[in-house]
Amino acid sequence: MMATVAGWHIELEFNEIGSETRAVALLRLPNGTELRAHAHADRHPDDPSQPRVGEEVAAARLLNELAGRLLAEAEREIERATTTPAHLTL
């Protein structure tokens, strides 16, 4: 049996503006498909500035959004191959 190795490239970028952390992701699949997602986290004005926490929250939301986009892409590919509606869930 032969192993297949696949590599995916993902870029995450964070930007802090006041009490908001914005995050953007770009995922490139081996077939050339690019999936993008955006998310943010808001810090309460009374909380101390902790950029890492904002990045963690924004990244979690971003990756959740990206997971949904990946499932939708997989559904489309299954439907193209089988001509049967596909409904995938996390």
Side-chain angles (χ1 to χ4, degrees):
M1 182 152 109
M2 223 167 158
T4 300
V5 177
W8 292 11
H9 182 79
I10 185 168
E11 295 177 23
L12 300 177
E13 184 176 299
F14 301 96
N15 189 11
E16 274 202 51
I17 301 170
S19 63
E20 180 182 36
T21 301
R22 296 180 184 175
V24 178
L26 171 63
L27 171 62
R28 289 187 189 98
L29 300 176
N31 68 2
T33 300
E34 291 187 350
L35 301 174
R36 299 173 194 274
H38 303 268
H40 74 279
D42 292 304
R43 175 176 44 87
H44 189 278
D46 295 338
D47 290 342
S49 177
Q50 294 182 305
R52 185 170 151 192
V53 173
E55 290 172 3
E56 291 168 345
V57 172
R61 291 175 176 159
L62 180 70
L63 293 172
N64 188 48
E65 173 68 23
L66 204 50
R69 292 177 188 267
L70 277 169
L71 284 176
E73 180 64 22
E75 284 178 347
R76 284 189 291 276
E77 290 182 28
I78 290 168
E79 290 171 353
R80 276 193 296 265
T82 65
T83 65
T84 303
H87 302 286
L88 302 174
T89 61
L90 285 175

